[in-house]
Amino acid sequence: MIIHDSRDLAVSTADADLVAGLEKAHELFLTYSGDPIGEIEEVLDGAPDFVMGHIFKAALLTQAMETRIYGDMVNALERAEALASRANERERMHIRAIRAWADGDFHRAVDLWDDVLVHYPRDLLALQLAHLSDVLLGDTTNQRDRVARILHAWDESVPGYGYVLGLYAFGLEENRDFAMAEECGRRAVALNPADAYAVHAVAHVMESQGRQSGGINWMRSREGDWAYGNFANHLWWHLSLYHLDLGQTDRVLDVYDTCLRSTDQSGDRYEELDAAALLWRLNLLGIDVGDRWKTLADKWESSATDTLYAFNDVHAMMTFVADGRWEVADRVLHAHERYTSAANDANSAMTRTVGEPFCRALKAFAKEEYGAAVETLLPIRYRTRYLGGSHAQRDIIGLTLLEAALRDGRHELALALASERTALKPTSPQNWRFAARAHRGLGDHRRAAEAEARAVALHG
């Protein structure tokens, strides 16, 4: 027997309470709140043969991208595989997708989830997993178009429609369709204020457009909806970017210390990614962050050689080189060398293309070998999407390159890079300060003063 869920998808069970428990757990995953794994485990404790429960648990854990979580994901997947004969075709498609992911074939997994969506366009779990995987893999186009392909099956009468709009808003923003992205994001938040991902999509729009004051007001006005959820760290990071662009480093450090800094050594990589990314941006601006690097590097060191996800590796490397842990940094690079020479999976390609070069550049930068950092980063600057993450997150590569060029005295290159940034985001005080430094290095003090004046005016 089967029960249909709220979006009329068949679930292999005759117990409506199990479907209700599954949907409750998924709602927590969608809102980045509570403990969706604990919720589904409670369901499975009373119904260990509930195949979709095991599928959901394994599927959610694919997104962790942490070695310490990998075994739990595989165990849940194997339980689902053992029950596959009880599953319907949609559920078996999910199992095949998760197996591809567990085997390191991330792109195949996403293709399989996309096939689920072709046949079952209201499968919100498949949509969420495929979209988040697109972000992890840097597939910018499909962050937008994969959602667009299923819109024909959705409207406000379908439960979860707001979440679809939130996903679409982020995909639109990453493809620089800012007006429609903001419209979709705000509509999603209006439908469900607890949709932290939609709040995040609008935050991206404002950061990309250099709307610092508007971004601060947006985040603060919605703070009660997102500040206590599982996505809070990343949204505090977004708030910090507005303050950083305005040169308000005291506020940045206050956010770091009160909202990002943690003494918990259990290791939540999403939290540590945001913390490392923010400290490195401060480091590029020459801001002394005291002992903050040590605490963060202590948390990363145990996973220095994981090589599970290149995006994690580069953020770990930031902490090691900033704290002067050269031996640990070399362990990361040696692990990359062994891994990329032996593996042929999706992450090895990401590591080879961007992750390993960026790690080498970070080490060179920290050792004040700025010329080497420039030469390492220049060839990869147009391939950075293969690292995964968002444009805002990957901008740290461009910022490192520009600062290295300035410190290496390559002012013509620095001016070209700064000009690129001011053209793309002319309302950024930080971009104009980069331009002022480059002009000053070239001896053009008039243009340096003009650029500095632009920065001051924007700050005011």
Side-chain angles (χ1 to χ4, degrees):
M1 294 182 65
I2 59 172
I3 297 290
H4 286 78
D5 68 11
S6 62
R7 287 171 283 277
D8 201 32
L9 295 172
V11 183
S12 297
T13 179
D15 189 339
D17 289 340
L18 296 184
V19 176
L22 172 66
E23 294 203 307
K24 182 179 179 181
H26 191 197
E27 186 78 8
L28 294 177
F29 184 26
L30 288 162
T31 56
Y32 292 87
S33 61
D35 181 9
I37 291 293
E39 193 71 35
I40 199 63
E41 286 178 340
E42 185 174 332
V43 172
L44 290 169
D45 285 344
D49 292 339
F50 181 33
V51 62
M52 194 61 207
H54 294 291
I55 290 170
F56 175 81
K57 180 179 178 180
L60 192 157
L61 292 175
T62 63
Q63 301 303 299
M65 303 304 285
E66 295 185 40
T67 299
R68 68 188 180 95
I69 303 296
Y70 186 81
D72 293 337
M73 177 189 68
V74 172
N75 288 338
L77 170 60
E78 289 176 346
R79 292 295 302 275
E81 289 174 329
L83 295 166
S85 62
R86 303 183 179 201
N88 61 40
E89 180 55 26
R90 180 181 68 91
E91 293 163 341
R92 286 192 290 269
M93 293 168 80
H94 270 286
I95 292 172
R96 290 193 289 270
I98 300 166
R99 170 49 65 187
W101 188 279
D103 290 342
D105 194 347
F106 302 153
H107 296 286
R108 174 63 175 160
V110 176
D111 287 344
L112 290 168
W113 276 316
D114 197 65
D115 194 36
V116 174
L117 292 168
V118 168
H119 293 91
Y120 307 94
R122 289 186 179 178
D123 190 324
L124 186 52
L125 178 62
L127 179 65
Q128 185 183 18
L129 293 166
H131 174 84
L132 295 177
S133 298
D134 287 334
V135 177
L136 290 172
L137 296 170
D139 188 346
T140 304
T141 301
N142 269 314
Q143 288 166 31
R144 176 194 62 200
D145 293 350
R146 200 180 307 283
V147 186
R149 289 197 289 274
I150 56 86
L151 288 175
H152 65 88
W154 290 80
D155 57 38
E156 288 191 19
S157 69
V158 183
Y161 177 59
Y163 297 120
V164 174
L165 287 178
L167 298 174
Y168 194 40
F170 182 76
L172 289 164
E173 183 281 326
E174 288 296 280
N175 285 276
R176 303 191 65 78
D177 190 344
F178 299 133
M180 186 174 287
E182 185 166 357
E183 179 182 343
C184 287
R186 287 182 180 271
R187 187 178 172 197
V189 173
L191 289 170
N192 182 5
D195 187 349
Y197 197 79
V199 172
H200 150 266
V202 177
H204 267 275
V205 170
M206 294 185 174
E207 195 279 330
S208 295
Q209 292 183 315
R211 293 159 57 191
Q212 299 87 358
S213 296
I216 292 168
N217 289 336
W218 167 253
M219 299 301 288
R220 289 296 187 184
S221 70
R222 313 298 322 182
E223 188 175 330
D225 296 320
W226 59 261
Y228 306 100
N230 302 331
F231 209 38
N233 264 63
H234 190 60
L235 291 172
W236 285 119
W237 176 80
H238 271 284
L239 178 62
S240 298
L241 292 189
Y242 304 127
H243 288 301
L244 192 62
D245 203 356
L246 293 173
Q248 298 168 346
T249 56
D250 55 337
R251 297 189 186 182
V252 175
L253 289 171
D254 181 62
V255 169
Y256 184 92
D257 289 336
T258 58
C259 305
L260 288 180
R261 193 178 198 180
S262 171
T263 58
D264 179 10
Q265 293 296 316
S266 62
D268 185 331
R269 290 294 172 257
Y270 280 122
E271 294 185 3
E272 293 161 11
L273 288 168
D274 294 319
L278 187 57
L279 288 189
W280 188 259
R281 280 169 170 78
L282 289 166
N283 183 54
L284 293 174
L285 297 177
I287 306 300
D288 183 4
V289 299
D291 68 347
R292 295 174 180 87
W293 278 121
K294 179 185 183 304
T295 303
L296 197 53
D298 285 344
K299 295 177 72 175
W300 273 108
E301 188 165 341
S302 64
S303 55
T305 59
D306 279 0
T307 64
L308 183 66
Y309 182 40
F311 192 81
N312 286 5
D313 293 346
V314 299
H315 287 81
M317 181 64 98
M318 291 172 200
T319 73
F320 302 146
V321 300
D323 197 47
R325 302 189 189 193
W326 308 117
E327 184 272 333
V328 183
D330 286 338
R331 279 164 45 199
V332 175
L333 294 174
H334 293 154
H336 282 171
E337 183 178 353
R338 292 191 301 271
Y339 170 53
T340 56
S341 64
N344 191 31
D345 55 19
N347 183 57
S348 66
M350 297 167 74
T351 302
R352 192 179 299 111
T353 303
V354 183
E356 189 272 338
F358 189 30
C359 282
R360 285 193 287 109
L362 289 168
K363 180 183 176 184
F365 188 97
K367 283 184 167 289
E368 300 184 1
E369 298 168 357
Y370 302 120
V374 170
E375 293 306 316
T376 303
L377 291 177
L378 273 174
I380 68 169
R381 62 187 305 262
Y382 292 115
R383 301 200 294 270
T384 60
R385 72 178 182 87
Y386 295 110
L387 185 64
S390 66
H391 290 308
Q393 289 173 308
R394 295 189 300 270
D395 191 39
I396 202 164
I397 299 176
L399 289 168
T400 303
L401 171 60
L402 176 50
E403 185 61 31
L406 285 166
R407 296 190 189 189
D408 195 46
R410 299 176 66 167
H411 295 110
E412 290 180 339
L413 172 61
L415 181 58
L417 296 171
S419 181
E420 180 182 76
R421 297 183 69 86
T422 56
L424 190 65
K425 192 160 67 172
T427 55
S428 164
Q430 187 181 86
N431 287 345
W432 287 107
R433 289 194 177 93
F434 282 131
R437 290 171 61 195
H439 281 301
R440 196 173 297 116
L442 291 169
D444 192 339
H445 297 290
R446 178 182 65 83
R447 290 192 175 181
E450 290 173 351
E452 190 63 45
R454 289 285 295 272
V456 171
L458 289 167
H459 183 274

